[in-house]
Amino acid sequence: MRYWLMKSEPDDCSIDDLAAMPKQTVPWYGVRNYQARNFMRDVMKVGDQVFFYHSSCPEPGIAGVARVASPAYPDETQFDEKSRFYDAKSTPENPRWLNVDVAFVRKTPLVSLAELRRHEALAQMRVLQPANRLSITPVDPAEWQYIVKNLMGKA
DNA sequence: GCCAACGTTGGC
DNA sequence: GCCAACGTTGGC
């Protein structure tokens, strides 16, 4: 089992939005970066655990826990001409973009980006590296445990 | 709204 | 295959 951090803009889909979804599950559509796509396609497995991170908002940080709920499959928004994620170069026969489904696990007290940066044990986290823009990053098991135990108040 | 970083595109 | 231009990300 692996651990991940996945960024979402709360204006688009917050942890509360996820909790309010039918089956508390969303397709993680809109990823248009090959590295992030490849994580979903090649490395993620159903049951992997996910830090749900709010980005591009007043208080960026980890807002909850989710889990991977499906294997990767073609992202429907790439075929929708009206979608901002439409990709004219992708075809149903040869889809370029994939997504997994992500399911709500629990909301947590917000662990802010500033808080994460205060902990030496987390200094190597991918999401904390300068100019990190990847929307999906692996989380080291030790980092995951540290955050859950020390920053979320309970194990 | 600014701006630095970085991925992608496309001409050559 | 290089590389300049351009677009996007995301914290501040």
Side-chain angles (χ1 to χ4, degrees):
Chain A
M1 146 125 88
R2 292 175 192 270
Y3 301 96
W4 303 93
L5 181 144
M6 298 173 80
K7 295 179 186 172
S8 180
E9 300 189 13
D11 286 348
D12 189 19
C13 180
S14 71
I15 188 74
D16 292 324
D17 294 333
L18 176 60
M21 287 285 181
K23 297 194 213 171
Q24 299 192 317
T25 299
V26 279
W28 204 262
Y29 60 79
V31 171
R32 295 294 179 270
N33 170 284
Y34 290 105
Q35 223 182 324
R37 179 203 67 181
N38 293 347
F39 280 141
M40 290 196 285
R41 185 188 63 189
D42 303 332
V43 192
M44 273 190 183
K45 295 281 188 284
V46 172
D48 282 0
Q49 293 199 265
V50 176
F51 282 141
F52 191 104
Y53 180 94
H54 286 174
S55 70
S56 294
C57 59
E59 273 193 301
I62 298 168
V65 176
R67 70 184 155 78
V68 177
S70 82
Y73 60 93
D75 177 342
E76 290 182 13
T77 63
Q78 69 194 306
F79 309 125
D80 177 0
E81 289 185 40
K82 295 188 189 68
S83 168
R84 65 188 165 113
F85 299 117
Y86 177 66
D87 185 344
K89 293 178 184 167
S90 188
T91 64
E93 294 72 31
N94 191 17
R96 180 183 287 198
W97 304 112
L98 305 172
N99 60 215
V100 298
D101 289 342
V102 169
F104 178 80
V105 173
R106 64 192 171 96
K107 189 175 177 178
T108 66
L110 185 88
V111 181
S112 72
L113 181 59
E115 175 71 19
L116 292 171
R117 289 196 195 284
R118 277 197 284 272
H119 294 263
E120 186 62 30
L122 304 175
Q124 299 308 311
M125 274 190 87
R126 286 283 292 274
V127 76
L128 300 184
Q129 301 315 303
N132 163 72
R133 288 166 46 201
L134 252 194
S135 63
I136 300 176
T137 51
V139 174
D140 187 88
E143 293 164 350
W144 178 280
Q145 300 299 341
Y146 183 91
I147 291 168
V148 169
K149 188 182 287 186
N150 300 300
L151 305 182
M152 288 178 171
K154 60 171 186 173

